[in-house]
Amino acid sequence: MSAGTTPDNPHAGVAGLCEQIRGAFEGWAPRLLGVHVHGTVSGPAEAARLVAAVADAAEFTVLPGDGALARAELHTAAAGASTAAVERPGTDARADLAAVRAGCRRAAVAVGLRVPVAF
């Protein structure tokens, strides 16, 4: 590890991002969209399935706030999660997953939810 900035194993960062994506949905997707959020998300493929399920549910739900923007953000996040899932083994998918996490957060904001800011 170099000066505590980036882990030597990119998969550790991938696991953390997948868990952050699950956490982004945990508070509002079950309540707002009726989508079950599993206790853990083990990797990009599972994250892609979760984001796609939430995006699909959003298409059939009357959303408060800017529902159209939330749907667009979720579909963009689903496409990013799919890209991360199909990367070759060993490829660092952190950038794709970070974009997915950001899209999930923007979708939550679009429907009027408070999203904590993390630095």
Side-chain angles (χ1 to χ4, degrees), residues 52-77:
V54 172
D56 288 346
E59 287 298 319
F60 302 103
T61 305
V62 176
L63 296 174
D66 193 346
L69 177 60
R71 287 183 187 93
E73 291 290 358
L74 288 169
H75 283 295
T76 299

Side-chain angles (χ1 to χ4, degrees), residues 82-106:
S82 179
T83 297
V86 299
E87 293 293 331
R88 294 180 310 281
T91 300
D92 190 348
R94 286 178 293 179
D96 289 316
L97 290 169
V100 169
R101 180 189 58 192
C104 297
R105 291 172 60 89
R106 287 190 302 267

